[in-house]
Amino acid sequence: MSTEAHTGAPAEEQALVGRAVAGERDAIADVVRLLQDPLYRLALRMVWRPAEAEDATQEILLRVLGNLATWRAEAKLLTWAYRIGVNYLLNLKRQTPQEAAELSLDAYRDGLADGLAEADYRGPEATLLTAEVRLTCSQAMLQCLARDERVAFVLGDVFELNSTDAAWILGITPAAYRKRLERAKKRLGDFLTATCGLANPEAFCRCSRRVDKAVALGRVDARTPGFARHPITPGGRTVVQAEQQMARLHDAAAVLRAHPDYAAPQAKMDVIAGLLHSGRFPLLD
């Protein structure tokens, strides 16, 4: 088993957590602000839909805060929080639709070929809806991986953590992690190379030719697109910037990495704030 994280926590994080554990409300709120958006982006990659990711993020944050006194600065605070989050997400009983249907990448590719239009979508909000199709599709294809491979790919190729930190988060050796990551990368790379025109210009699928079908199937809501208009972290990457980054990189990992820097929806974070001020939270007892 992997027992040591590659990078310890900086002194300012240790001081912040010390104040939070001592019951300083502002410090607890700062811990939440530091962790909420990265944990939300992790949850979103694992559970697919924003509503489920909101619920998961709230639960993960409450577990992080409830165990904050046990943090020993053996890893950065976010790395440690990822470990708690990954354990929660891997053991979720609730399944995504793709998991419930045991949908394979091959079956997903066949579905993308069905109903592909002969020309690019030129209707209202064409740019927005094309981006929504891409973002929804990349979320869905991740769900075709087993959870252990999915989280390995997210940690390594989406969040770009090194193998030592990612292995520590998962509680396995770096060598075992690298093997798991390579399996996930090969499966996704083969799929994207054969399917996705963004990763391979010779592949058959184009986001702009999937818009009508995605709307008809209810996979994209033309009135309220969930991903393309999702709030982002202040100063984070926008949808446009993510698209530009992907176009420059042109590889399989880039297609899945190039989501905006989504922010955790404020409503759920307000629930946590309410708990912190309720007098019932363990850190404040």
Side-chain angles (χ1 to χ4, degrees):
M1 296 286 287
S2 174
T3 57
E4 295 185 0
H6 180 69
T7 306
E12 56 268 27
E13 282 192 354
Q14 297 181 51
L16 173 64
V17 171
R19 295 198 305 274
V21 171
E24 185 178 315
R25 294 178 186 275
D26 288 346
I28 298 170
D30 286 343
V31 169
V32 171
R33 280 192 290 269
L34 178 68
L35 301 178
Q36 64 186 28
D37 288 357
L39 288 174
Y40 176 73
R41 290 192 285 268
L42 171 68
L44 190 60
R45 291 295 190 161
M46 294 299 293
V47 303
W48 190 42
R49 293 296 194 189
E52 284 80 5
E54 292 174 36
D55 291 341
T57 303
Q58 179 178 314
E59 181 60 36
I60 293 165
L61 277 169
L62 291 174
R63 292 183 181 208
V64 166
L65 292 172
N67 288 282
L68 203 55
T70 70
W71 181 64
R72 297 290 178 263
E74 69 273 42
K76 290 180 179 179
L77 184 60
L78 178 57
T79 306
W80 178 78
Y82 278 150
R83 188 170 187 168
I84 293 173
V86 164
N87 181 66
Y88 175 78
L89 292 163
L90 287 176
N91 289 289
L92 269 180
K93 291 183 179 179
R94 183 176 57 218
Q95 294 181 312
T96 67
Q98 292 86 350
E99 289 175 334
E102 299 182 349
L103 187 67
S104 69
L105 284 167
D106 287 342
Y108 186 53
R109 181 173 58 245
D110 292 342
L112 290 175
D114 180 25
L116 197 66
E118 294 184 1
D120 294 348
Y121 176 75
R122 300 295 185 191
E125 300 279 19
T127 300
L128 176 73
L129 293 180
T130 298
E132 182 72 6
V133 167
R134 177 183 68 78
L135 296 168
T136 301
C137 182
S138 62
Q139 281 288 93
M141 73 178 75
L142 273 176
Q143 310 311 309
C144 296
L145 293 176
R147 289 185 184 182
D148 60 344
E149 291 184 352
R150 190 187 321 157
V151 76
F153 183 85
V154 169
L155 293 175
D157 269 49
V158 177
F159 292 174
E160 299 180 293
L161 297 181
N162 63 56
S163 61
T164 304
D165 282 350
W168 183 83
I169 289 167
L170 293 172
I172 60 179
T173 66
Y177 169 75
R178 286 190 291 269
K179 288 181 180 178
R180 188 177 297 180
L181 176 61
E182 285 305 311
R183 287 197 304 270
K185 288 174 67 172
K186 184 177 189 311
R187 293 185 63 197
L188 288 172
D190 290 348
F191 169 83
L192 287 164
T193 299
T195 308
C196 179
L198 293 169
N200 174 17
E202 296 182 1
F204 70 86
C205 196
R206 298 292 184 277
C207 301
S208 57
R209 299 185 181 186
R210 284 289 306 172
V211 173
D212 282 325
K213 188 69 172 181
V215 170
L217 291 172
R219 293 173 183 169
V220 165
D221 186 339
R223 296 167 298 177
T224 55
F227 292 109
R229 284 184 171 158
H230 195 295
I232 63 167
T233 299
R237 293 180 309 161
T238 65
V239 172
V240 172
Q241 289 168 331
E243 293 272 11
Q244 290 171 342
Q245 180 190 46
M246 181 180 62
R248 288 195 300 270
L249 293 174
H250 262 297
D251 61 33
V255 174
L256 291 149
R257 188 184 306 133
H259 273 236
D261 291 334
Y262 296 126
Q266 195 55 47
K268 291 292 184 181
M269 299 309 103
D270 288 344
V271 171
I272 292 174
L275 286 172
L276 297 180
H277 292 87
S278 68
R280 295 183 289 108
F281 198 78
L283 280 177
L284 304 179
D285 287 346

